[in-house]
């Protein structure tokens, strides 16, 4: 009985999905069918009567192409979990030049509005993806559309035949109903392979996107390295360097006072010793900020445990493995966890955090969860966006789940091999 109920539910869901796919895939053919109807209606021996319907059909096709492909991608992702990247060309930023004109990547315009409008048109018409979408809207109706038409066609045939009193008609209606019920759970699945095959980005487009991504990552890495070098220089200049200069002056003064005022010379030497110890502490803190010694000596897990002990939060660390990774990856993951814990205490006002480190045979997986107020989002130019870009250098990903009111869960995944 339970299997029968499950089959009926699957058939009903499949029937609805098949109808949705049929409607979406037939939107563009419906435009051409309407244009053909207008041409027949206007035809009166005038050969120019078909121009207006043809123009209308072309405009409708170009207007519907991208929405149809977007709906197909959304349906496939929702029903099967298969994500098909859009692969559309991204427009470059519009900037104002010193002359007052706006540069949109293609031409100069007098106003920002004109520059954006011109850029939008040029980007869309020069994008190879538009021809891919047009190809899909031509192929989908005769592939997935025809297959998904079987269940509703079977139901329609059953309704028509049941309206007849003759026995052959009723038998044909039963046959149509059986075909509709039997095919409903499977027909809608045909949209996934068709969409993956004809909506996926080509190898050339994927390569171009990868080149753009690597170029952006290289720029981000260069900026981050320059900022880190400036921070180190500033810390050395304002901290250890100033103390070492003062230490040298104190020793020079003590040397001069050694014969005339030994007591004051001894006091200066005591101050110099304290300054040397303070400088050594600052240098150690600076080195620890660049690369923590425990990370180099004992690995990621122990470094994160040491970080949790020094954290203002009550942090628990769980790890099912003790592993060593490449030093750049260990450093990126460690400082990523450190930034997440700091954000939880500083911005989310959390009191507890849980850090989980695992290995899934393809890479390192780190989950950081806090009991803060939530609402964290990856905003362009924000801290989480910077962390995401730093992880992307290693093909890593950052997933944030942070509803309002908390809790906030952040997952870091970096594909790598254990040493």
């Amino acid at each position: 009985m339970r299997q029968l109920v499950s089959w009926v539910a699957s058939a009903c869901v499949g029937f609805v999905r098949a109808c949705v796919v049929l409607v979406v895939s037939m939107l563009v053919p419906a435009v051409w069918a309407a244009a053909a109807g207008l041409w027949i209606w206007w035809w009166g021996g005038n050969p120019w009567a078909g121009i207006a319907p043809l123009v209308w059909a072309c405009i409708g096709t170009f207007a519907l192409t991208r929405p149809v492909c977007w709906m197909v991608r959304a349906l496939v992702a929702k029903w099967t979990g298969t994500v098909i990247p859009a692969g559309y060309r991204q427009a470059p930023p519009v900037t104002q030049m010193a002359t007052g004109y706006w540069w949109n990547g293609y031409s100069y315009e007098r106003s920002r509005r004109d520059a954006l409008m011109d850029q939008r048109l040029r980007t869309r018409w020069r994008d190879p993806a538009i021809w891919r979408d047009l190809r899909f809207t031509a192929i989908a109706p005769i592939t997935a559309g025809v297959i998904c038409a079987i269940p509703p066609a079977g139901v329609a045939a059953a309704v028509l035949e049941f309206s007849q009193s003759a026995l052959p008609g009723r038998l044909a209606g039963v046959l149509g109903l059986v075909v509709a019920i039997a095919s409903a759970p499977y027909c809608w699945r045909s949209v996934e392979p068709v969409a993956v095959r004809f909506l996926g980005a080509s190898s050339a487009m994927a390569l171009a996107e990868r080149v753009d991504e690597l170029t952006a990552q290289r720029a981000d890495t260069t900026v981050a390295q320059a900022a880190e070098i400036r921070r180190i220089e500033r810390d050395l200049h304002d901290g250890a360097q100033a103390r070492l200069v003062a230490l040298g002056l104190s020793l020079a003064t003590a040397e001069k006072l050694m014969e005339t005022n030994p007591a004051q010379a001894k006091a200066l030497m005591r101050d110099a010793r304290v300054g040397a110890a303070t400088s050594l502490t600052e240098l150690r803190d600076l080195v620890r900020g660049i690369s923590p010694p425990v990370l180099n000596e004992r690995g990621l897990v122990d470094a994160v445990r040491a970080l949790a002990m020094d954290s203002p939060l009550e942090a628990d660390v769980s790890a099912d493995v003790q592993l060593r990774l490449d030093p750049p990856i260990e450093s990126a993951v460690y400082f990523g966890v450190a930034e997440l814990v700091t954000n939880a205490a500083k911005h989310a006002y959390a009191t507890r955090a849980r850090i989980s480190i695992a290995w899934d045979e393809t890479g390192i997986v780190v989950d950081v969860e806090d009991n803060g107020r939530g609402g964290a989002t990856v905003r362009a130019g924000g801290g989480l966006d910077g962390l995401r870009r730093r992880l992307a250098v290693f093909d890593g990903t950052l997933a944030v789940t942070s509803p309002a009111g908390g809790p906030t869960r952040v997952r870091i995944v970096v594909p790598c091999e254990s040493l």
Side-chain angles (χ1 to χ4, degrees):
M1 183 65 182
R2 183 177 299 176
Q3 293 181 349
L4 179 60
V5 173
S6 176
W7 172 260
V8 172
S10 176
C12 293
V13 172
F15 180 82
V16 173
R17 291 181 176 180
C19 292
V20 172
V21 173
L22 177 62
V23 171
V24 172
S25 62
M26 292 298 176
L27 286 176
V28 173
V31 171
W32 285 92
L38 287 176
W39 179 75
I40 295 174
W41 181 49
W42 285 346
W43 176 258
N46 184 4
W48 301 100
I51 293 180
L54 178 63
V55 172
W56 182 84
C58 292
I59 295 175
T61 298
F62 281 104
L64 288 174
T65 295
R66 185 162 292 188
V68 167
C69 296
W70 178 84
M71 286 187 287
V72 170
R73 290 191 189 92
L75 293 175
V76 170
K78 182 178 180 180
W79 292 344
T80 66
T82 302
V83 178
I84 305 175
Y88 297 119
R89 180 176 294 175
Q90 299 297 322
V94 175
T95 56
Q96 188 175 18
M97 310 303 292
T99 58
Y101 284 82
W102 292 81
W103 171 253
N104 59 11
Y106 303 99
S107 63
Y108 294 95
E109 301 294 338
R110 291 184 177 273
S111 65
R112 187 174 185 274
R113 176 178 174 275
D114 294 339
L116 288 173
M117 184 179 301
D118 179 74
Q119 180 192 67
R120 191 178 299 113
L121 292 175
R122 289 175 182 264
T123 301
R124 180 156 187 176
W125 288 108
R126 293 186 180 185
D127 192 351
I130 190 173
W131 308 111
R132 179 200 61 196
D133 291 350
L134 286 172
R135 180 186 62 180
F136 176 78
T137 55
I139 293 175
I142 59 177
T143 53
V146 171
I147 297 174
C148 290
I150 295 176
V155 172
V159 172
L160 291 176
E161 297 298 337
F162 281 148
S163 63
Q164 300 180 11
S165 58
L167 181 60
R170 292 177 176 257
L171 292 177
V174 172
L175 179 61
L177 189 60
V178 169
V179 170
I181 295 175
S183 62
Y186 309 104
C187 287
W188 66 271
R189 300 181 186 275
S190 62
V191 70
E192 180 186 6
V194 175
V196 171
R197 171 63 180 84
F198 295 102
L199 274 185
S202 63
S203 57
M205 294 176 61
L207 181 60
E209 291 178 1
R210 183 58 176 168
V211 169
D212 293 340
E213 181 181 356
L214 291 176
T215 302
Q217 291 175 3
R218 183 183 62 182
D220 292 338
T221 303
T222 302
V223 172
Q225 288 177 345
E228 187 67 14
I229 291 174
R230 288 194 298 270
R231 183 187 70 83
I232 296 172
E233 291 177 345
R234 184 177 61 252
D235 292 345
L236 287 174
H237 181 272
D238 297 340
Q241 179 178 331
R243 292 186 181 277
L244 291 175
V245 171
L247 176 62
L249 294 175
S250 297
L251 291 176
T253 305
E255 183 181 4
K256 295 179 180 180
L257 295 175
M258 186 63 69
E259 296 180 358
T260 59
N261 193 346
Q264 187 177 359
K266 290 181 180 180
L268 288 174
M269 293 182 69
R270 285 194 298 268
D271 293 341
R273 183 177 59 186
V274 173
T278 304
S279 299
L280 182 60
T281 302
E282 290 182 353
L283 288 174
R284 286 175 176 172
D285 292 339
L286 181 61
V287 172
R288 188 178 296 111
I290 299 172
S291 181
V294 65
L295 181 62
N296 297 327
E297 296 171 1
R298 305 184 61 179
L300 177 65
V301 175
D302 289 338
V304 172
R305 288 196 173 109
L307 173 68
M309 293 177 62
D310 296 335
S311 171
L313 303 179
E314 185 179 348
D316 298 328
V317 180
S318 62
D320 56 1
V321 289
Q322 184 72 28
L323 72 164
R324 293 304 304 267
L325 309 174
D326 288 336
I329 296 179
E330 281 189 337
S331 179
V333 175
Y334 171 81
F335 285 107
V337 173
E339 182 172 350
L340 293 176
V341 173
T342 302
N343 290 343
K346 183 178 180 181
H347 302 293
Y349 303 105
T351 58
R352 291 181 58 87
R354 184 175 60 84
I355 305 171
S356 173
I357 303 175
W359 177 263
D360 65 354
E361 297 182 357
T362 60
I364 185 72
V365 180
V366 180
D367 292 314
V368 180
E369 179 179 350
D370 65 71
N371 64 343
R373 61 182 182 180
T377 57
V378 182
R379 298 187 302 272
L384 291 177
D385 183 55
L387 176 56
R388 179 188 60 80
R389 294 198 305 269
R390 293 196 298 272
L391 293 173
V393 175
F394 307 98
D395 289 332
T397 58
L398 180 75
V400 180
T401 304
S402 182
T408 297
R409 298 181 182 90
V410 182
R411 166 164 288 194
I412 296 174
V413 180
V414 180
C416 57
E417 293 183 358
S418 177
L419 300 180

